[in-house]
């Protein structure tokens, strides 16, 4: 093929090439001048690593490319200043050629990806902007939907307390169905509002040294009526652990959510055991174990995704938004801890969450309310 044709092709495609020997010394180079000479410069006799220092540290991988055990090595977003002061971006693709007929040589293609990177950055900015708009919209909508629920709940309670006159059995049943659905609506709007706030970085934790035993006991007490109603047994096993750094309200929300799920996804007469003990180094662990419906292996990877509900939950017919665990994980991670679970379909689940140990003695936790979560279930 005519060499000038190849040069023209390289020019239009904005690709330079460089050939290097086994010692990574450049033996030949070509392509657009602004890449080969200005940006890098690809001069025969020079060491490839001197021209592309970004390759330093990848010598073992380059060896593998030369040996044929790695098909290629790609470096993206290599930045070089342009004459006008802006940055140009390049991608380098390394392959071995000529293996078999003598020692292999390295062929590096260096392509100008400035335009692509610029478009990617623009797309990322646009995505961020749309995401912010979505979070703002959700926050405003959830807030506006939630506000009228307070007077509705107030008047429902008045009616159910027979403050406005006696109710017959049918009226009471009807009002109780309304109440259940209003409470459900309140949970959904609270979850959406919470999610929007966390995503917008508007949730600030007030971390204080906390005695987790006291805090978890408080949450257990809060959920006891729900657990008793399902004739389940709740056991709290607490070892001696140091104070943990928690935001009281949010830690109550985390434990409350896990406990509420354990109750919800465990049939009547099941057992729930909450354990507090040492976690990973520097952390206290809270484990919430149930003998419930469990989670199938297929569903497990998605359990913390927003709006995800496992098939076992859907089959059980229990209502829910699939937002609780997503929010719980975001909150646990905001605390600097982690959350995970072990489970098998039909064999119960154990959820684990860790909180960082504090160097200071615990302060006395107040009465942070676990009122919000799933109170209607
Ligand atoms: P919700 O309970 O509103 O559906 P969550 O985000 O709290 O949403 O939980 C997501 C899903 O994880 C649930 O729908 C259920 O399928 C599953 N899940 C959570 N906790 C348990 C549990 N203790 N046992 C079995 N499944 C659970």
């Amino acid at each position: 093929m005519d060499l000038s044709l190849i040069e023209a092709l390289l020019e239009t495609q904005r690709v330079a090439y460089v050939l290097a020997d086994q010692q990574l010394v450049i033996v030949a180079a070509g392509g657009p001048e602004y890449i080969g000479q200005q940006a890098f410069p690809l001069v025969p006799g020079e060491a490839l690593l001197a021209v592309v220092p970004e390759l330093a540290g990848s010598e073992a991988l380059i060896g593998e490319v030369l040996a044929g055990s790695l098909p290629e090595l790609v470096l993206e977003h290599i930045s070089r200043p342009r004459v006008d002061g802006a940055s140009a971006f390049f991608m380098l693709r390394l392959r071995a050629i000529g293996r078999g007929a003598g020692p292999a040589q390295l062929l590096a293609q260096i392509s100008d990806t400035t335009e692509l990177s610029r478009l990617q950055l623009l797309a990322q900015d646009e995505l961020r902007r749309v995401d912010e708009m979505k979070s703002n919209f959700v926050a405003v909508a959830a807030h506006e939907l939630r506000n009228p629920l307070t007077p509705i709940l107030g008047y429902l309670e008045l009616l159910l307390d027979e403050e406005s006159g006696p109710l017959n059995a049918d009226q009471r049943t009807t009002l109780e169905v309304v109440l259940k659905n209003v409470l459900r609506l309140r949970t959904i709007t609270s979850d959406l509002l919470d999610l929007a706030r966390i995503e917008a970085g508007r949730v600030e934790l007030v971390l204080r040294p906390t005695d987790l035993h006291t805090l978890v006991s408080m949450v257990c007490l809060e959920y006891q009526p729900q657990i008793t109603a399902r004739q389940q047994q709740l056991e709290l096993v607490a070892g001696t652990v140091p104070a943990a750094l928690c935001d009281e309200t949010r830690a109550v929300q985390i434990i409350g959510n896990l406990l509420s799920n354990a109750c919800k996804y465990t049939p009547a007469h099941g057992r729930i055991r909450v354990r507090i003990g040492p976690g990973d180094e520097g952390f206290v662990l809270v484990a919430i174990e149930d003998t419930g419906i469990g989670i199938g292996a297929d569903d497990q990877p998605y359990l913390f995704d927003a709006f995800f509900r496992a098939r076992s939950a859907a089959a059980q017919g229990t209502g829910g938004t699939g937002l609780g665990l997503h929010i719980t994980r975001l909150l646990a991670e905001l605390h600097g801890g982690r959350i995970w679970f072990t489970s098998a379909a039909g064999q119960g689940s154990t959820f684990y969450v860790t909180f960082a140990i504090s160097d200071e003695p615990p302060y006395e936790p107040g009465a942070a309310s676990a009122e919000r979560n799933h109170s209607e279930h």
Side-chain angles (χ1 to χ4, degrees):
M1 197 194 287
D2 188 347
L3 257 182
S4 61
L5 189 65
I6 297 176
E7 289 291 335
L9 268 175
L10 292 173
E11 195 76 40
T12 49
Q13 295 300 309
R14 298 166 172 263
V15 180
Y17 73 86
V18 49
L19 264 182
D21 63 16
Q22 300 253 334
Q23 282 68 49
L24 310 187
V25 173
I26 298 177
V27 291
E33 198 180 300
Y34 81 98
I35 304 180
Q37 288 170 31
Q38 287 158 18
F40 281 91
L42 308 169
V43 182
E46 274 285 346
L48 182 63
L49 262 64
V51 177
V52 191
E54 289 83 354
L55 280 170
S58 304
E59 290 82 349
L61 291 174
I62 297 175
E64 284 185 40
V65 172
L66 275 169
S69 51
L70 187 70
E72 67 174 10
L73 179 66
V74 178
L75 278 190
E76 288 183 283
H77 310 299
I78 302 174
S79 131
R80 292 286 181 274
R82 279 195 324 213
V83 269
D84 62 3
S87 285
F89 292 93
F90 299 92
M91 179 172 76
L92 180 141
R93 201 179 272 275
L94 267 186
R95 290 164 170 262
I97 57 165
R99 209 175 319 101
Q105 285 191 317
L106 274 178
L107 170 66
Q109 274 172 267
I110 303 177
S111 19
D112 181 353
T113 53
T114 311
E115 187 60 13
L116 198 66
S117 301
R118 198 180 63 81
L119 288 176
Q120 275 173 350
L121 283 177
L122 276 178
Q124 274 169 12
D125 273 357
E126 187 59 15
L127 266 179
R128 222 185 336 263
R129 204 179 62 80
V130 172
D131 202 52
E132 250 168 47
M133 273 171 64
K134 178 215 70 183
S135 291
N136 282 340
F137 170 76
V138 171
V140 171
H143 193 255
E144 291 303 313
L145 285 172
R146 196 181 143 85
N147 277 347
L149 296 181
T150 309
I152 294 176
L153 274 169
Y155 284 116
L156 269 175
E157 269 161 25
L158 274 183
L159 289 173
L160 280 163
D161 289 345
E162 304 195 326
E163 302 270 340
S164 322
L167 295 172
N168 65 33
D170 274 357
Q171 289 167 333
R172 177 166 292 279
T173 311
T174 310
L175 284 179
E176 277 167 358
V177 172
V178 177
L179 178 67
K180 195 166 178 249
N181 282 284
V182 175
L183 286 173
R184 181 163 155 65
L185 205 53
R186 190 175 63 168
T187 300
I188 296 171
T189 49
S190 294
D191 280 352
L192 283 174
L193 203 54
D194 242 1
L195 184 60
R197 281 193 191 130
I198 298 172
E199 280 182 346
R202 284 206 296 266
V203 168
E204 280 187 19
L205 300 184
V206 182
L207 294 176
R208 283 197 273 199
T210 306
D211 175 23
L212 274 178
H213 187 191
T214 313
L215 185 138
V216 173
S217 307
M218 221 159 69
V219 182
C220 286
L221 209 63
E222 195 99 30
Y223 284 90
Q224 188 63 58
Q226 214 168 301
I227 290 167
T228 308
R230 291 171 69 79
Q231 293 165 292
Q232 295 163 336
Q233 278 174 22
L234 173 65
E235 185 190 1
L236 172 60
V237 186
T240 313
V241 287
L245 271 179
C246 299
D247 175 301
E248 193 188 329
T249 311
R250 295 302 186 170
V252 164
Q253 186 178 345
I254 293 171
I255 309 289
N257 222 327
L258 297 178
L259 191 56
S260 155
N261 277 348
C263 169
K264 212 163 96 174
Y265 298 114
T266 299
H269 306 289
R271 286 191 317 278
I272 301 170
R273 193 153 68 123
V274 183
R275 278 182 289 126
I276 306 171
D280 310 331
E281 206 187 326
F283 287 85
V284 181
L285 175 83
V286 181
I288 295 166
E289 187 182 344
D290 64 54
T291 56
I293 59 175
I295 300 138
D298 287 355
D299 287 330
Q300 293 191 8
Y302 313 105
L303 212 70
F304 291 105
D305 291 358
F307 302 106
F308 182 81
R309 306 201 69 219
R311 267 159 279 191
S312 44
Q316 188 186 254
T318 325
T321 57
L323 274 177
L325 276 185
H326 181 69
I327 293 172
T328 305
R329 176 162 76 174
L330 292 174
L331 289 176
E333 288 174 351
L334 262 183
H335 274 84
R338 61 188 190 104
I339 183 167
W340 71 101
F341 66 94
T342 52
S343 182
Q347 294 179 28
S349 314
T350 307
F351 282 80
Y352 304 88
V353 57
T354 61
F355 295 93
I357 287 175
S358 159
D359 300 332
E360 291 165 39
Y363 88 110
E364 199 53 41
S369 163
E371 161 262 329
R372 59 169 305 290
N373 234 322
H374 299 143
S375 45
E376 79 281 17
H377 298 302

